[in-house]
Amino acid sequence: MKKLFSILLCTAMVFSLAACGSANSSNTPAASTAPAASAANPASGADTQAETTAWAPTKDVEIVTHSGVGSGGDVIGRAIIESCKGIVDANMFMQNKKGSAGSAVWAYVQKGKNDGHTLIVITPTNFLWYYNANNGMNPSTDLVPLVRFQLDPQVLCVHKDSPYQDIESFKQAYKEGKVTIAGEASGGPAWMGATIMADTLDCAVSFVPFSDGGEALTGVLGGNVDAVLGQFGECYDQIIAGEIVPIAFAESERIEGFEDVPTLIESGIDFAFPQWRGLAVPKDTPLEAIAYWEGVFSQSSQTEYFQKYLKDGSTLDGWMDIKEFTALCGEQDRVVREIIEKYGSGE
């Protein structure tokens, strides 16, 4: 039996359909300090209770991302900043360190950025880059995972005119070498899904890499490739418009509102790899600062502004506190390492 490569989702996680909208530029100050919150010590597992006044920002706060302006990590960072207005009494701004497979972020945050004023956007991509590109930054060991905000399911879609409108007929066509799967970059989640499908069906991998998920989707719409395995938020508008058809989710459970679409796991392809986004801080960040930010984000993530941001972009509320998120990152590290050890990097 093939090994199940899946990230188990927290059962307490809220599943509400949501969406990815753009946030306002946010270099404006907010208005008040945050209440106390307990934070887990990642080294000892002990809880630390921080008083309201024990720590608060004393200078500008930066959110660092490997994404360019307008990309997913940048957009969610700006939404976080906007939702913190009225909660954080400090100016917050985005710091975009694009390129070099995340190594630009790692080089930047190593330079004394552990005083609580630097937050880092992390996604499953960071684990791929650590093992594939040796970029030096493993979020589960080199950073402290703080909180997770967002979950964007991976979905396999075909063109509306495809003769393979369900996962079973698509699997047979894939086994016979009749169809291709497109996605973002070799070595990424789409490549993993295509590779594990090929391994399960005992056939050749048929994967076409694109520079990003949007280009892969365009490839399907233009008839240049047969299917795309991409983020639900990126595919949502075309799904609703009827231009592409979802045939399977790379998730551990069916998705609310799309209950008629099976998971790959149900279809015998043991692969679930949700795209999520969260924040981490550099190691050695004071525990009081960690507790402060966990308290802030437990509030800001529930604001009307942030919930609208999720809803407008067809992503899910993926809130996890520090304990849950730290455990998830440890599991994500294991899964990515094992997949790459078994199948290589895709390069």
Side-chain angles (χ1 to χ4, degrees):
M1 184 183 218
K2 302 293 179 185
K3 186 167 184 177
L4 173 61
F5 289 114
S6 62
I7 302 295
L8 297 180
L9 307 181
C10 175
T11 56
M13 183 177 64
V14 178
F15 277 113
S16 53
L17 256 180
C20 208
S22 67
N24 297 330
S25 172
S26 44
N27 288 337
T28 18
S32 67
T33 55
S38 64
N41 182 336
S44 67
D47 288 342
T48 300
Q49 186 71 29
E51 297 296 333
T52 304
T53 56
W55 191 93
T58 57
K59 60 184 181 181
D60 289 354
V61 175
E62 59 185 343
I63 296 182
V64 185
T65 178
H66 59 257
S67 298
V69 175
S71 297
D74 175 76
V75 171
I76 194 173
R78 294 179 190 278
I80 291 168
I81 289 169
E82 189 69 21
S83 68
C84 285
K85 290 181 178 179
I87 301 174
V88 177
D89 187 20
N91 180 52
M92 300 177 70
F93 67 97
M94 290 303 301
Q95 185 74 261
N96 299 88
K97 295 293 180 182
K98 185 180 177 182
S100 304
S103 60
V105 172
W106 183 230
Y108 180 74
V109 301
Q110 284 182 293
K111 299 175 181 177
K113 296 291 183 177
N114 60 349
D115 63 356
H117 295 83
T118 297
L119 308 167
I120 305 158
V121 177
I122 57 172
T123 74
T125 303
N126 292 105
F127 294 94
L128 296 171
W129 280 340
Y130 177 73
Y131 288 105
N132 278 345
N134 299 314
N135 76 345
M137 188 178 78
N138 184 329
S140 67
T141 56
D142 298 311
L143 304 176
V144 178
L146 185 56
V147 296
R148 191 182 77 169
F149 289 94
Q150 180 188 47
L151 181 68
D152 198 353
Q154 300 279 347
V155 60
L156 180 65
C157 297
V158 297
H159 193 274
K160 64 180 181 180
D161 297 328
S162 170
Y164 313 108
Q165 296 283 305
D166 60 81
I167 186 59
E168 293 306 320
S169 63
F170 184 86
K171 281 165 49 183
Q172 185 61 36
Y174 190 81
K175 184 173 184 176
E176 295 171 0
K178 295 178 179 178
V179 292
T180 53
I181 296 175
E184 180 179 358
S186 293
W191 168 82
M192 288 181 180
T195 300
I196 291 171
M197 183 180 292
D199 187 32
T200 303
L201 299 175
D202 193 22
C203 64
V205 178
S206 184
F207 177 71
V208 181
F210 286 81
S211 62
D212 58 49
E215 287 191 6
L217 176 59
T218 300
V220 173
L221 292 170
N224 299 313
V225 289
D226 299 290
V228 60
L229 181 54
Q231 295 173 32
F232 184 57
E234 292 179 335
C235 298
Y236 181 79
D237 287 345
Q238 298 298 332
I239 291 173
I240 296 303
E243 296 299 318
I244 58 173
V245 177
I247 59 172
F249 281 97
E251 297 297 320
S252 58
E253 299 178 7
R254 294 199 181 197
I255 300 300
E256 182 180 344
F258 291 82
E259 288 87 354
D260 59 333
V261 181
T263 66
L264 286 173
I265 291 172
E266 291 177 84
S267 308
I269 309 300
D270 293 339
F271 180 68
F273 202 90
Q275 172 72 15
W276 47 257
R277 293 183 179 91
L279 289 179
V281 292
K283 287 178 69 173
D284 302 324
T285 295
L287 290 177
E288 294 84 358
I290 292 172
Y292 171 88
W293 286 118
E294 187 183 19
V296 164
F297 296 135
S298 68
Q299 292 185 64
S300 69
S301 64
Q302 298 305 310
T303 60
E304 182 178 354
Y305 182 91
F306 194 80
Q307 289 298 309
K308 184 177 185 300
Y309 153 76
L310 292 173
K311 184 176 181 180
D312 287 348
S314 302
T315 57
L316 304 176
D317 184 338
W319 172 260
M320 282 186 171
D321 64 20
I322 189 170
K323 288 183 177 179
E324 295 167 325
F325 192 34
T326 298
L328 174 72
C329 284
E331 178 67 1
Q332 186 87 67
D333 182 19
R334 181 191 66 79
V335 167
V336 170
R337 182 179 68 253
E338 290 184 3
I339 289 176
I340 290 174
E341 285 175 354
K342 182 172 184 179
Y343 298 108
S345 65
E347 299 299 332

